[in-house]
Amino acid sequence: MIQANLDNCIMEFYTQLKEYENFNDFFSDEEKITAVSKMQHNYWLGFFKGEITEGYISERVRVGEVHANINLPLKTT
């Protein structure tokens, strides 16, 4: 059920993010949105597997570091 609706949920997420004043600072074009949407898709598929491995944790830390390095505000994550 989640997989069937996942892409729609992600699309809605980015539609809502467009309301933030600094959206274009991080998502300057549709190619960027498409790329991060694919990453979101893969993240949620892994999340819903429910397998918390060292690899999963390492990837979460890496993504957090990327978000910190680009100064992505917490309210957008």
Side-chain angles (χ1 to χ4, degrees):
M1 184 171 163
I2 291 170
Q3 272 186 305
N5 294 301
L6 185 56
D7 289 332
N8 290 333
C9 291
I10 293 168
M11 189 180 340
E12 180 61 27
F13 173 74
Y14 286 102
T15 297
Q16 289 183 24
L17 273 185
K18 288 179 182 180
E19 300 301 316
Y20 287 101
E21 62 186 51
N22 61 345
F23 177 83
N24 289 326
D25 295 342
F26 300 98
F27 307 103
S28 54
D29 58 44
E30 286 300 316
E31 288 180 22
K32 171 91 58 176
I33 295 170
T34 298
V36 296
S37 294
K38 288 178 183 179
M39 287 185 259
Q40 283 277 347
H41 181 94
N42 291 334
Y43 164 74
W44 286 112
L45 289 180
F47 176 83
F48 286 117
K49 282 183 180 179
E51 298 173 3
I52 308 302
T53 64
E54 283 190 39
Y56 176 85
I57 293 169
S58 295
E59 182 62 12
R60 303 296 10 111
V61 168
R62 186 191 70 75
V63 169
E65 289 172 347
V66 168
H67 288 173
N69 286 336
I70 65 170
N71 295 315
L72 187 67
L74 290 176
K75 66 181 181 182
T76 59
T77 58

Coordinates of all heavy atoms in Angstrom, one line a residue:
M1 N 0.8 -1.2 0.0 CA 0.0 0.0 0.0 C 0.9 1.3 0.0 O 0.6 2.2 -0.7 CB -0.9 0.0 1.2 CG -1.9 1.1 1.3 SD -3.0 0.8 2.6 CE -3.7 2.4 2.8
I2 N 1.9 1.2 0.8 CA 2.8 2.4 0.9 C 3.5 2.6 -0.5 O 3.6 3.7 -1.0 CB 3.8 2.3 2.0 CG1 3.1 2.4 3.3 CG2 4.9 3.3 1.9 CD1 3.9 2.0 4.5
Q3 N 4.1 1.5 -1.0 CA 4.8 1.6 -2.3 C 3.9 2.2 -3.4 O 4.3 3.0 -4.2 CB 5.3 0.3 -2.7 CG 6.7 0.0 -2.2 CD 7.2 -1.3 -2.8 OE1 6.6 -2.3 -2.7 NE2 8.4 -1.2 -3.3
A4 N 2.6 1.8 -3.4 CA 1.7 2.3 -4.4 C 1.4 3.8 -4.3 O 1.1 4.4 -5.4 CB 0.3 1.5 -4.3
N5 N 1.5 4.4 -3.2 CA 1.3 5.8 -3.0 C 2.5 6.6 -2.7 O 2.4 7.8 -2.6 CB 0.3 6.0 -1.8 CG -1.1 5.4 -2.2 OD1 -1.7 5.8 -3.1 ND2 -1.5 4.4 -1.4
L6 N 3.7 6.0 -2.7 CA 4.9 6.7 -2.3 C 5.2 7.8 -3.2 O 5.5 8.9 -2.7 CB 6.0 5.7 -2.2 CG 7.4 6.2 -1.7 CD1 7.2 6.8 -0.3 CD2 8.4 5.1 -1.6
D7 N 5.2 7.7 -4.5 CA 5.6 8.7 -5.4 C 4.6 9.9 -5.2 O 5.1 11.1 -5.3 CB 5.7 8.3 -6.8 CG 6.9 7.4 -7.0 OD1 7.9 7.5 -6.3 OD2 6.8 6.5 -7.9
N8 N 3.3 9.7 -5.0 CA 2.4 10.8 -4.9 C 2.7 11.5 -3.6 O 2.6 12.7 -3.5 CB 0.9 10.2 -4.8 CG 0.5 9.7 -6.2 OD1 1.0 10.2 -7.2 ND2 -0.4 8.8 -6.2
C9 N 3.0 10.8 -2.5 CA 3.3 11.4 -1.2 C 4.6 12.3 -1.4 O 4.6 13.4 -0.9 CB 3.6 10.4 -0.2 SG 2.1 9.5 0.3
I10 N 5.6 11.8 -2.1 CA 6.8 12.6 -2.3 C 6.5 13.8 -3.1 O 7.0 14.9 -2.8 CB 7.9 11.7 -2.9 CG1 8.3 10.6 -1.9 CG2 9.1 12.6 -3.4 CD1 9.2 9.6 -2.5
M11 N 5.7 13.7 -4.1 CA 5.4 14.8 -5.0 C 4.6 15.9 -4.1 O 4.9 17.1 -4.3 CB 4.5 14.4 -6.2 CG 4.2 15.5 -7.2 SD 3.2 15.0 -8.6 CE 3.3 13.3 -8.7
E12 N 3.7 15.5 -3.3 CA 3.0 16.4 -2.4 C 3.9 17.1 -1.5 O 3.8 18.3 -1.2 CB 1.9 15.6 -1.7 CG 1.1 16.5 -0.8 CD 0.3 17.7 -1.5 OE1 0.0 17.5 -2.7 OE2 0.1 18.7 -0.8
F13 N 4.9 16.3 -0.9 CA 5.9 16.9 0.0 C 6.6 18.1 -0.7 O 6.7 19.2 -0.1 CB 6.9 15.8 0.4 CG 8.1 16.3 1.2 CD1 7.9 16.7 2.5 CD2 9.3 16.4 0.7 CE1 9.0 17.1 3.3 CE2 10.4 16.8 1.4 CZ 10.2 17.2 2.7
Y14 N 7.1 17.9 -1.9 CA 7.8 18.9 -2.6 C 6.9 20.1 -3.0 O 7.3 21.2 -3.1 CB 8.7 18.4 -3.7 CG 9.9 17.7 -3.2 CD1 10.0 16.3 -3.1 CD2 11.0 18.4 -2.7 CE1 11.1 15.7 -2.6 CE2 12.1 17.8 -2.1 CZ 12.1 16.4 -2.1 OH 13.2 15.8 -1.5
T15 N 5.7 19.8 -3.3 CA 4.7 20.8 -3.6 C 4.5 21.7 -2.4 O 4.5 22.9 -2.5 CB 3.3 20.2 -4.0 OG1 3.5 19.4 -5.2 CG2 2.3 21.2 -4.3
Q16 N 4.4 21.1 -1.2 CA 4.3 21.9 0.0 C 5.6 22.7 0.3 O 5.5 23.8 0.8 CB 3.9 21.0 1.2 CG 2.4 20.5 1.0 CD 2.0 19.7 2.2 OE1 2.5 19.9 3.3 NE2 1.0 18.9 2.0
L17 N 6.7 22.1 0.1 CA 8.0 22.8 0.3 C 8.1 24.0 -0.5 O 8.8 25.0 -0.1 CB 9.2 21.8 0.0 CG 9.6 20.9 1.2 CD1 10.9 20.2 0.7 CD2 9.9 21.7 2.4
K18 N 7.5 24.0 -1.7 CA 7.6 25.2 -2.6 C 7.1 26.5 -1.9 O 7.4 27.6 -2.3 CB 6.9 25.0 -3.9 CG 7.6 24.0 -4.8 CD 6.9 23.7 -6.1 CE 7.6 22.7 -6.9 NZ 7.0 22.4 -8.2
E19 N 6.3 26.3 -0.9 CA 5.7 27.4 -0.1 C 6.7 28.2 0.7 O 6.5 29.3 1.1 CB 4.5 27.0 0.7 CG 3.4 26.3 -0.1 CD 2.8 27.3 -1.1 OE1 2.6 28.5 -0.8 OE2 2.6 26.8 -2.3
Y20 N 7.8 27.5 1.1 CA 8.9 28.1 1.9 C 9.7 29.1 1.0 O 10.0 28.9 -0.1 CB 9.9 27.1 2.4 CG 9.3 26.2 3.5 CD1 8.8 24.9 3.3 CD2 9.2 26.7 4.8 CE1 8.2 24.2 4.3 CE2 8.6 25.9 5.8 CZ 8.2 24.7 5.5 OH 7.6 23.9 6.5
E21 N 10.0 30.3 1.7 CA 10.6 31.4 1.0 C 12.0 31.0 0.4 O 12.4 31.5 -0.6 CB 10.7 32.6 1.8 CG 11.6 32.4 3.1 CD 11.5 33.6 4.0 OE1 10.4 34.0 4.3 OE2 12.6 34.0 4.4
N22 N 12.7 30.1 1.0 CA 14.0 29.7 0.6 C 14.1 28.4 -0.3 O 15.1 27.9 -0.5 CB 15.0 29.6 1.7 CG 14.6 28.6 2.7 OD1 13.5 28.1 2.7 ND2 15.5 28.2 3.6
F23 N 12.9 28.0 -0.7 CA 12.8 26.8 -1.5 C 13.8 26.8 -2.7 O 14.5 25.8 -2.9 CB 11.4 26.5 -2.0 CG 11.2 25.3 -2.9 CD1 11.1 24.1 -2.3 CD2 11.2 25.4 -4.2 CE1 11.0 22.9 -3.1 CE2 11.1 24.3 -5.0 CZ 11.0 23.0 -4.5
N24 N 13.8 27.9 -3.5 CA 14.6 28.0 -4.7 C 16.1 28.0 -4.4 O 16.9 27.8 -5.3 CB 14.2 29.2 -5.5 CG 12.8 28.9 -6.2 OD1 12.5 27.8 -6.5 ND2 12.0 30.0 -6.3
D25 N 16.5 28.3 -3.1 CA 17.9 28.3 -2.8 C 18.4 26.9 -2.8 O 19.6 26.7 -3.1 CB 18.1 28.9 -1.4 CG 17.7 30.3 -1.2 OD1 17.6 31.0 -2.3 OD2 17.5 30.8 -0.1
F26 N 17.6 25.9 -2.6 CA 18.0 24.5 -2.5 C 17.5 23.7 -3.7 O 18.1 22.7 -4.0 CB 17.6 23.9 -1.2 CG 18.1 24.6 0.0 CD1 17.3 25.6 0.6 CD2 19.4 24.4 0.4 CE1 17.8 26.2 1.7 CE2 19.9 25.1 1.5 CZ 19.1 26.0 2.2
F27 N 16.4 24.1 -4.3 CA 15.8 23.3 -5.4 C 15.6 24.2 -6.5 O 14.5 24.7 -6.8 CB 14.5 22.7 -4.9 CG 14.7 21.9 -3.6 CD1 14.2 22.4 -2.4 CD2 15.2 20.6 -3.7 CE1 14.4 21.7 -1.2 CE2 15.4 19.9 -2.5 CZ 15.0 20.4 -1.3
S28 N 16.7 24.5 -7.3 CA 16.6 25.6 -8.3 C 16.0 25.2 -9.6 O 15.6 26.1 -10.3 CB 18.1 26.0 -8.6 OG 18.9 24.9 -8.9
D29 N 15.8 23.9 -9.8 CA 15.2 23.5 -11.1 C 14.5 22.1 -10.9 O 14.7 21.4 -9.9 CB 16.2 23.5 -12.2 CG 17.4 22.6 -12.0 OD1 17.2 21.5 -11.6 OD2 18.5 23.1 -12.3
E30 N 13.7 21.8 -11.9 CA 13.0 20.5 -11.9 C 13.9 19.3 -11.9 O 13.6 18.3 -11.3 CB 12.0 20.4 -13.1 CG 10.8 21.3 -12.9 CD 10.0 20.9 -11.7 OE1 9.7 19.7 -11.4 OE2 9.5 21.9 -11.0
E31 N 15.1 19.4 -12.5 CA 16.1 18.3 -12.5 C 16.5 18.0 -11.1 O 16.6 16.8 -10.7 CB 17.3 18.6 -13.4 CG 16.9 18.5 -14.9 CD 18.2 18.8 -15.7 OE1 19.3 18.7 -15.2 OE2 17.9 19.2 -16.9
K32 N 16.8 19.0 -10.3 CA 17.2 18.8 -8.9 C 16.0 18.2 -8.1 O 16.3 17.3 -7.3 CB 17.6 20.2 -8.3 CG 17.8 20.2 -6.8 CD 19.2 19.9 -6.4 CE 20.2 20.9 -6.9 NZ 21.5 20.7 -6.4
I33 N 14.8 18.7 -8.3 CA 13.7 18.1 -7.6 C 13.5 16.6 -8.0 O 13.2 15.8 -7.1 CB 12.4 18.9 -7.9 CG1 12.6 20.3 -7.3 CG2 11.2 18.2 -7.3 CD1 11.5 21.3 -7.7
T34 N 13.7 16.3 -9.3 CA 13.5 14.9 -9.7 C 14.6 14.1 -9.0 O 14.3 13.0 -8.6 CB 13.7 14.8 -11.2 OG1 12.6 15.6 -11.8 CG2 13.6 13.4 -11.7
A35 N 15.8 14.6 -9.0 CA 16.9 13.8 -8.4 C 16.7 13.6 -6.9 O 16.8 12.4 -6.4 CB 18.3 14.5 -8.6
V36 N 16.3 14.6 -6.1 CA 16.1 14.4 -4.7 C 14.8 13.6 -4.4 O 14.7 12.9 -3.4 CB 16.1 15.7 -3.9 CG1 17.4 16.4 -4.0 CG2 15.0 16.7 -4.4
S37 N 13.8 13.7 -5.3 CA 12.6 12.8 -5.2 C 13.0 11.4 -5.3 O 12.4 10.5 -4.6 CB 11.6 13.2 -6.3 OG 11.1 14.5 -6.1
K38 N 13.9 11.0 -6.2 CA 14.3 9.6 -6.3 C 15.1 9.2 -5.1 O 14.9 8.0 -4.6 CB 15.2 9.5 -7.6 CG 14.5 9.5 -8.9 CD 15.4 9.4 -10.1 CE 14.7 9.6 -11.3 NZ 15.5 9.5 -12.5
M39 N 15.9 10.1 -4.5 CA 16.6 9.8 -3.3 C 15.6 9.6 -2.1 O 15.7 8.6 -1.3 CB 17.6 10.8 -2.9 CG 18.8 10.8 -3.8 SD 20.0 12.0 -3.2 CE 19.7 13.3 -4.4
Q40 N 14.5 10.4 -2.1 CA 13.5 10.2 -1.1 C 12.8 8.9 -1.3 O 12.5 8.2 -0.3 CB 12.4 11.4 -1.2 CG 12.8 12.7 -0.7 CD 12.6 12.7 0.8 OE1 11.9 11.9 1.4 NE2 13.2 13.8 1.4
H41 N 12.5 8.6 -2.5 CA 11.8 7.3 -2.8 C 12.6 6.1 -2.2 O 12.1 5.3 -1.5 CB 11.6 7.1 -4.3 CG 10.9 5.9 -4.7 ND1 9.6 5.8 -4.9 CD2 11.4 4.7 -4.9 CE1 9.2 4.6 -5.3 NE2 10.3 3.9 -5.3
N42 N 13.9 6.1 -2.5 CA 14.8 5.0 -2.1 C 14.9 5.0 -0.5 O 14.9 4.0 0.1 CB 16.2 5.1 -2.7 CG 16.1 4.8 -4.2 OD1 15.2 4.1 -4.6 ND2 17.0 5.4 -4.9
Y43 N 15.0 6.2 0.1 CA 15.0 6.3 1.5 C 13.8 5.7 2.1 O 13.9 4.9 3.1 CB 15.1 7.8 2.0 CG 14.8 7.9 3.4 CD1 15.7 7.5 4.4 CD2 13.6 8.4 3.9 CE1 15.4 7.5 5.8 CE2 13.2 8.4 5.2 CZ 14.2 8.0 6.1 OH 13.8 8.1 7.5
W44 N 12.6 6.1 1.7 CA 11.4 5.5 2.3 C 11.2 4.0 2.1 O 10.8 3.3 3.0 CB 10.2 6.3 1.8 CG 10.1 7.7 2.4 CD1 10.3 8.9 1.8 CD2 9.9 8.0 3.8 NE1 10.2 9.9 2.7 CE2 10.0 9.4 3.9 CE3 9.7 7.2 5.0 CZ2 9.8 10.1 5.2 CZ3 9.6 7.9 6.2 CH2 9.6 9.3 6.3
L45 N 11.6 3.5 0.9 CA 11.6 2.1 0.7 C 12.5 1.4 1.8 O 12.1 0.4 2.4 CB 12.0 1.7 -0.7 CG 11.0 2.1 -1.8 CD1 11.6 1.6 -3.1 CD2 9.7 1.5 -1.6
G46 N 13.7 1.9 2.0 CA 14.6 1.3 3.0 C 14.0 1.5 4.4 O 14.1 0.6 5.2
F47 N 13.5 2.6 4.7 CA 12.9 2.9 6.0 C 11.8 1.9 6.3 O 11.8 1.3 7.4 CB 12.3 4.3 6.1 CG 11.7 4.6 7.3 CD1 12.4 5.1 8.5 CD2 10.3 4.6 7.5 CE1 11.8 5.4 9.7 CE2 9.6 4.9 8.6 CZ 10.4 5.3 9.7
F48 N 10.9 1.7 5.4 CA 9.8 0.8 5.6 C 10.1 -0.7 5.7 O 9.4 -1.5 6.1 CB 8.6 1.0 4.7 CG 7.9 2.3 5.0 CD1 7.9 3.4 4.1 CD2 7.3 2.5 6.2 CE1 7.3 4.6 4.4 CE2 6.6 3.7 6.5 CZ 6.6 4.7 5.6
K49 N 11.4 -1.0 5.2 CA 11.8 -2.4 5.4 C 12.0 -2.7 6.9 O 12.0 -3.9 7.3 CB 13.2 -2.6 4.7 CG 13.0 -2.8 3.2 CD 14.4 -3.1 2.6 CE 14.3 -3.3 1.1 NZ 15.6 -3.6 0.5
G50 N 12.4 -1.7 7.6 CA 12.5 -1.8 9.1 C 13.8 -2.5 9.5 O 13.9 -3.1 10.6
E51 N 14.8 -2.5 8.6 CA 16.1 -3.1 8.9 C 17.1 -2.1 9.3 O 17.6 -1.4 8.4 CB 16.6 -3.9 7.7 CG 15.6 -5.1 7.3 CD 16.0 -5.8 6.0 OE1 17.1 -5.4 5.4 OE2 15.3 -6.6 5.6
I52 N 17.4 -1.9 10.5 CA 18.3 -0.9 11.0 C 19.7 -1.5 11.1 O 20.0 -2.2 12.0 CB 17.9 -0.3 12.4 CG1 16.5 0.2 12.4 CG2 18.9 0.8 12.8 CD1 16.1 1.2 11.3
T53 N 20.5 -1.3 10.0 CA 21.8 -1.9 9.9 C 22.9 -0.8 10.1 O 22.5 0.4 10.1 CB 22.0 -2.6 8.6 OG1 21.9 -1.6 7.6 CG2 20.9 -3.7 8.4
E54 N 24.1 -1.2 10.2 CA 25.2 -0.2 10.2 C 25.2 0.7 8.9 O 25.4 1.9 8.9 CB 26.5 -0.8 10.4 CG 26.8 -1.2 11.8 CD 28.2 -1.7 12.1 OE1 29.1 -1.0 11.5 OE2 28.4 -2.6 12.9
G55 N 24.9 0.0 7.8 CA 24.8 0.7 6.5 C 23.7 1.7 6.5 O 23.9 2.9 6.0
Y56 N 22.6 1.4 7.0 CA 21.4 2.3 7.1 C 21.8 3.5 8.0 O 21.6 4.7 7.6 CB 20.2 1.6 7.7 CG 19.0 2.5 7.9 CD1 18.2 2.7 6.8 CD2 18.8 3.1 9.1 CE1 17.1 3.6 7.0 CE2 17.7 3.9 9.3 CZ 16.8 4.2 8.2 OH 15.8 5.0 8.4
I57 N 22.4 3.3 9.1 CA 22.8 4.3 10.0 C 23.8 5.2 9.4 O 23.7 6.5 9.5 CB 23.2 3.8 11.4 CG1 22.0 3.2 12.1 CG2 23.8 4.9 12.3 CD1 22.3 2.4 13.3
S58 N 24.8 4.6 8.8 CA 25.9 5.4 8.1 C 25.3 6.3 7.0 O 25.7 7.5 6.9 CB 26.9 4.5 7.5 OG 27.6 3.8 8.5
E59 N 24.3 5.8 6.3 CA 23.7 6.6 5.2 C 22.9 7.7 5.8 O 22.9 8.9 5.3 CB 22.8 5.7 4.3 CG 22.1 6.4 3.2 CD 23.1 7.0 2.2 OE1 24.3 6.7 2.2 OE2 22.7 7.9 1.4
R60 N 22.2 7.5 6.9 CA 21.5 8.6 7.6 C 22.4 9.7 8.1 O 22.2 10.9 7.9 CB 20.7 8.1 8.8 CG 19.7 7.0 8.5 CD 18.5 7.2 7.5 NE 18.4 8.4 6.7 CZ 18.5 8.5 5.4 NH1 18.8 7.4 4.7 NH2 18.4 9.6 4.7
V61 N 23.6 9.3 8.6 CA 24.6 10.2 9.1 C 25.1 11.0 7.9 O 25.2 12.3 8.0 CB 25.7 9.5 9.9 CG1 26.9 10.5 10.1 CG2 25.2 9.0 11.2
R62 N 25.4 10.4 6.8 CA 25.9 11.0 5.6 C 24.9 12.1 5.1 O 25.3 13.2 4.8 CB 26.2 10.0 4.5 CG 26.9 10.7 3.3 CD 27.0 9.7 2.1 NE 25.7 9.4 1.5 CZ 25.0 10.3 0.8 NH1 25.5 11.5 0.5 NH2 23.8 10.0 0.3
V63 N 23.7 11.7 5.0 CA 22.6 12.6 4.5 C 22.5 13.8 5.5 O 22.4 15.0 5.1 CB 21.3 11.9 4.4 CG1 20.1 12.9 4.1 CG2 21.4 10.9 3.2
G64 N 22.6 13.6 6.8 CA 22.5 14.6 7.8 C 23.7 15.6 7.6 O 23.5 16.8 7.7
E65 N 24.9 15.1 7.3 CA 26.0 15.9 7.1 C 25.9 16.7 5.8 O 26.3 17.9 5.8 CB 27.3 15.0 7.0 CG 27.7 14.5 8.3 CD 28.8 13.4 8.3 OE1 29.1 13.0 7.2 OE2 29.3 13.1 9.3
V66 N 25.3 16.1 4.8 CA 25.1 16.9 3.5 C 24.1 18.0 3.8 O 24.4 19.2 3.4 CB 24.5 16.0 2.4 CG1 24.0 16.8 1.2 CG2 25.6 15.0 1.9
H67 N 23.0 17.7 4.5 CA 22.1 18.8 4.8 C 22.7 19.9 5.7 O 22.4 21.1 5.4 CB 20.9 18.2 5.6 CG 20.0 17.4 4.7 ND1 18.9 16.6 5.2 CD2 20.0 17.1 3.4 CE1 18.3 16.0 4.2 NE2 18.9 16.3 3.1
A68 N 23.6 19.5 6.6 CA 24.2 20.5 7.5 C 25.2 21.3 6.6 O 25.3 22.6 6.8 CB 25.0 19.8 8.6
N69 N 25.9 20.7 5.7 CA 26.9 21.4 4.9 C 26.3 22.4 3.9 O 26.9 23.4 3.6 CB 27.8 20.4 4.1 CG 28.8 19.7 4.9 OD1 29.2 20.2 6.0 ND2 29.2 18.5 4.5
I70 N 25.0 22.2 3.5 CA 24.4 23.1 2.6 C 23.5 24.1 3.4 O 22.7 24.9 2.8 CB 23.6 22.5 1.5 CG1 22.4 21.6 2.0 CG2 24.5 21.7 0.6 CD1 21.5 21.1 0.9
N71 N 23.5 24.0 4.7 CA 22.7 24.8 5.6 C 21.2 24.7 5.3 O 20.5 25.6 5.4 CB 23.1 26.2 5.6 CG 24.5 26.5 6.1 OD1 24.9 25.9 7.1 ND2 25.3 27.2 5.4
L72 N 20.8 23.4 5.1 CA 19.3 23.2 4.8 C 18.6 23.4 6.2 O 18.9 22.7 7.2 CB 19.1 21.8 4.3 CG 17.7 21.4 3.9 CD1 17.3 22.2 2.6 CD2 17.6 19.9 3.6
P73 N 17.6 24.3 6.2 CA 16.9 24.6 7.5 C 16.2 23.3 7.9 O 15.7 22.6 7.1 CB 15.9 25.7 7.1 CG 16.5 26.3 5.8 CD 17.2 25.2 5.1
L74 N 16.1 23.2 9.2 CA 15.4 22.0 9.8 C 13.9 22.0 9.4 O 13.4 20.9 9.2 CB 15.5 22.0 11.3 CG 16.9 21.6 11.8 CD1 16.9 21.7 13.4 CD2 17.3 20.2 11.4
K75 N 13.3 23.1 9.2 CA 11.9 23.1 8.9 C 11.6 22.5 7.5 O 10.5 22.3 7.2 CB 11.3 24.5 9.0 CG 11.8 25.5 8.0 CD 11.2 26.9 8.3 CE 11.7 27.8 7.2 NZ 11.2 29.2 7.5
T76 N 12.6 22.3 6.7 CA 12.4 21.8 5.3 C 12.8 20.3 5.3 O 12.7 19.7 4.2 CB 13.3 22.5 4.3 OG1 14.6 22.4 4.6 CG2 12.8 23.9 4.1
T77 N 13.2 19.7 6.4 CA 13.5 18.3 6.4 C 12.5 17.5 7.1 O 11.6 17.9 7.7 CB 14.9 18.0 7.1 OG1 14.8 18.5 8.4 CG2 16.0 18.7 6.3

